[in-house]
Amino acid sequence: MSGRTHTGSRPERTCVGCRKRAAKTELLRIVAIKDACVPDPRGTLPGRGAYLHPAPFCLDQAARRRAFTRALRAPGALDINALRQYVEQTTVAEQATP
């Protein structure tokens, strides 16, 4: 036996907004397409990805610190309107679910 335990092991990523580590399944993957940040909930879009809690607080923190540009290695500023709309819709849907 190698002594390794596989119970409870799961991939972790760091949120670019709050900088806290969380399970990959709890975070939303973000990719840069042209000059915009696009949500990738299935995690299948090509390119470099960054991870974010799907919460307005984390999105605001990341935008204020220009974390998307840095994490995605983009040459210029990225538009986050599509991402903001997705996060707001997700937050409203979670609050409506009992």
Side-chain angles (χ1 to χ4, degrees), residues 37-97:
C37 285
V38 178
D40 183 17
R42 292 177 44 200
T44 57
L45 291 176
R48 185 171 183 83
Y51 290 85
L52 177 78
H53 284 110
F57 173 76
C58 288
L59 178 61
D60 293 339
Q61 288 286 99
R64 188 173 343 144
R65 293 187 306 110
R66 295 188 291 272
F68 294 121
T69 305
R70 206 170 320 122
L72 299 172
R73 297 182 183 165
L78 295 170
D79 181 27
I80 62 167
N81 289 331
L83 180 58
R84 184 173 303 279
Q85 183 178 11
Y86 180 86
V87 168
E88 288 173 357
Q89 286 177 352
T90 303
T91 304
V92 169
E94 286 177 359
Q95 290 175 354
T97 305

